[in-house]
Amino acid sequence: MADTEDLMSCGVSDRGLDVIGRYYTKHYAIDFNGAGNDQYVFQHTNYLCVIGLAPTHPIVKERKKVVSINWAPGRGKDHSQIKLHGKRKRGAVRLDPNSKLCEVTCEDSTKYMIYSTVRGALVEVNTKLVCNNNNNEKQETEGENQKQETEGGNQKQEKEEEVKVEANYKVLDPYLLCDKPSGEGYIAIIKPDYQDQKKVGNKYISHEQYVAKMSSA
C-alpha cells in the first residue's frame, strides 16, 4: 500500500478521485489487448497514474455484477500484498504496459483481464474493492519453490517446481466497479518510469477524442 502522503497527493482518498477535473489529465486505452477492453489512465500533476475501467468497458456499460477479483492473474505475485518501503518505493512490482493487474469475474461467468497500460512501478491496488483477509473467501497458494531431494552416495539432486499463485478475493460491493469506476472503484496506482512520465498521453486518446468516439458510436 502507498503511504498517506502519496494517496493525498494523487487525489485518492475515501471520497475517491474527487479532484479529477483540476489535477488530472485523462487518457483512454481503447480495445487494449482485446475488443471492448477499454481502460482509463488518469495522470496526476505529480505524474502518478490511476488505472481503471472506462465507461465503455463491458462491466461498466452493461452494469455487470462482479463476484471476485484475482490479484494474481497467471503466474505471479499477489498484487494486493505488495509492501513498499521508503521514499524510493522499494519492493514495488515492476510493470510493462501489457502486464496483468488483475482478473475480474462477473456473476454471468464472464472474466475480464485488466492491464497496467503504463510502464513503471505498481504503487498500490485498490484493496477496498474486496473483503479483508479475515472475512475473505480467498483461495491462495503460496508461490514458492518445492524442493525434492534424493541422495545416492555423494550425489545430491534437487528438483524445483513452481507453484501457481491464486488470490481470488470476494468483492465487498458487486457494483462498485461499474457505479464508481473513476472514483472509489479505481483499480490501481502506478508510478511511470522517469523517461515515460511525460509520454503517457502519447500512446492513448485524449478525453475529448474519447467523448467524440462515444458520441459517434
Side-chain angles (χ1 to χ4, degrees):
M1 294 291 292
D3 55 34
T4 304
E5 182 179 355
D6 282 330
L7 293 175
M8 295 306 294
S9 66
C10 65
V12 179
S13 65
D14 290 337
R15 294 173 296 151
L17 308 180
D18 52 5
V19 289
I20 286 179
R22 184 176 180 182
Y23 295 109
Y24 288 83
T25 301
K26 301 179 182 180
H27 309 290
Y28 296 86
I30 304 302
D31 296 329
F32 194 88
N33 284 343
N37 193 35
D38 301 345
Q39 298 181 209
Y40 69 72
V41 182
F42 291 169
Q43 188 170 30
H44 192 265
T45 52
N46 63 8
Y47 299 119
L48 289 181
C49 292
V50 181
I51 310 299
L53 305 184
T56 45
H57 191 284
I59 292 177
V60 182
K61 186 177 182 179
E62 301 173 25
R63 199 171 186 268
K64 292 195 172 190
K65 183 177 181 180
V66 176
V67 294
S68 66
I69 296 177
N70 182 4
W71 290 116
R75 291 184 178 273
K77 296 181 179 180
D78 181 349
H79 290 155
S80 67
Q81 301 300 314
I82 62 172
K83 295 181 180 180
L84 307 186
H85 307 282
K87 293 183 178 181
R88 294 181 179 273
K89 307 304 177 210
R90 295 182 178 86
V93 176
R94 296 291 309 164
L95 300 172
D96 289 323
N98 292 318
S99 295
K100 300 172 182 177
L101 286 176
C102 65
E103 184 179 55
V104 180
T105 301
C106 299
E107 188 180 42
D108 61 2
S109 298
T110 55
K111 295 184 178 184
Y112 298 93
M113 193 67 70
I114 312 302
Y115 296 90
S116 167
T117 67
V118 175
R119 188 187 314 278
L122 180 61
V123 175
E124 75 160 46
V125 297
N126 186 5
T127 55
K128 292 185 178 180
L129 292 172
V130 298
C131 300
N132 61 43
N133 290 343
N134 293 329
N135 300 320
N136 184 27
E137 297 178 3
K138 174 184 175 186
Q139 300 175 350
E140 180 177 6
T141 305
E142 295 291 338
E144 60 183 11
N145 291 329
Q146 294 182 338
K147 297 183 179 180
Q148 297 179 347
E149 297 184 1
T150 58
E151 293 186 8
N154 296 326
Q155 295 182 345
K156 184 178 181 181
Q157 182 178 5
E158 294 184 358
K159 181 180 180 181
E160 297 185 359
E161 180 181 355
E162 291 186 358
V163 179
K164 182 179 180 180
V165 178
E166 293 184 356
N168 264 324
Y169 292 82
K170 182 179 178 182
V171 296
L172 278 172
D173 182 346
Y175 294 105
L176 185 58
L177 275 176
C178 56
D179 288 347
K180 298 181 180 179
S182 60
E184 297 173 8
Y186 75 97
I187 298 294
I189 299 174
I190 297 173
K191 181 180 180 181
D193 287 345
Y194 178 78
Q195 63 271 24
D196 293 335
Q197 288 179 351
K198 297 182 180 180
K199 300 178 182 178
V200 172
N202 296 342
K203 300 179 180 179
Y204 308 119
I205 64 175
S206 67
H207 179 67
E208 291 74 20
Q209 291 172 319
Y210 180 69
V211 171
K213 183 178 178 65
M214 289 179 61
S215 300
S216 61

